[in-house]
Amino acid sequence: MMIVLGIAFAAFVLVVILWMLLSHRLREKYAVLWLVIGVAMLVLTIFPELLYGLSQLLGVQVPSNLLFIGALALLVGVTLHQSWELSTAEDETRRVAEEVAILRAEVEALAKRDTGTDQHDRL
């Protein structure tokens, strides 16, 4: 029963990822990571002996501990990547804000100059 629920959950995750990708709610560069995770979930659910064999190969006593270590490493990696993306976005936002401020000052200076010229022409 648990295997069926695991397969259903992994399939649901894959369907959600594909739906988000096709509806442009998830960018391709992130979708690849999540698709790999979804496929890995599906494979480990269908073939749990792979986790047992991998845990014996790596010397981990309990296979679920290997799963938790992998999940923790994945979460740290995703968090680090998201922090990097956020830092890049903040830098880009600051740069664009500075450019807008400069352009606004130039537009105001041009408007003042044009307003001064219009008043001078009227006299």
Side-chain angles (χ1 to χ4, degrees):
M1 181 66 178
M2 288 302 293
I3 292 176
V4 173
L5 288 175
I7 292 171
F9 179 73
F12 174 75
V13 168
L14 284 171
V15 167
V16 169
I17 293 167
L18 289 173
W19 172 76
M20 290 178 72
L21 179 62
L22 294 174
S23 64
H24 301 287
R25 298 179 195 276
L26 182 64
R27 292 180 58 193
E28 290 84 6
K29 68 180 184 178
Y30 302 121
V32 171
L33 172 68
W34 292 113
L35 285 172
V36 168
I37 292 168
V39 169
M41 286 173 44
L42 188 60
V43 168
L44 288 176
T45 303
I46 294 172
F47 305 108
E49 60 273 359
L50 290 175
L51 186 60
Y52 290 110
L54 191 58
S55 63
Q56 287 177 350
L57 180 70
L58 295 174
V60 178
Q61 296 276 331
V62 182
S64 61
N65 287 346
L66 179 62
L67 195 61
F68 289 131
I69 290 169
L72 182 62
L74 178 73
L75 288 174
V76 168
V78 168
T79 303
L80 182 60
H81 179 72
Q82 292 295 327
S83 296
W84 173 68
E85 290 280 341
L86 180 63
S87 296
T88 303
E90 286 176 351
D91 290 342
E92 183 70 15
T93 302
R94 182 182 38 77
R95 186 189 63 75
V96 169
E98 290 170 355
E99 287 180 8
V100 167
I102 292 169
L103 290 172
R104 182 177 291 147
E106 289 176 359
V107 167
E108 288 174 0
L110 287 172
K112 285 181 183 179
R113 189 183 77 189
D114 287 344
T115 304
T117 305
D118 290 343
Q119 289 176 356
H120 181 63
D121 290 340
R122 291 183 191 158
L123 296 175

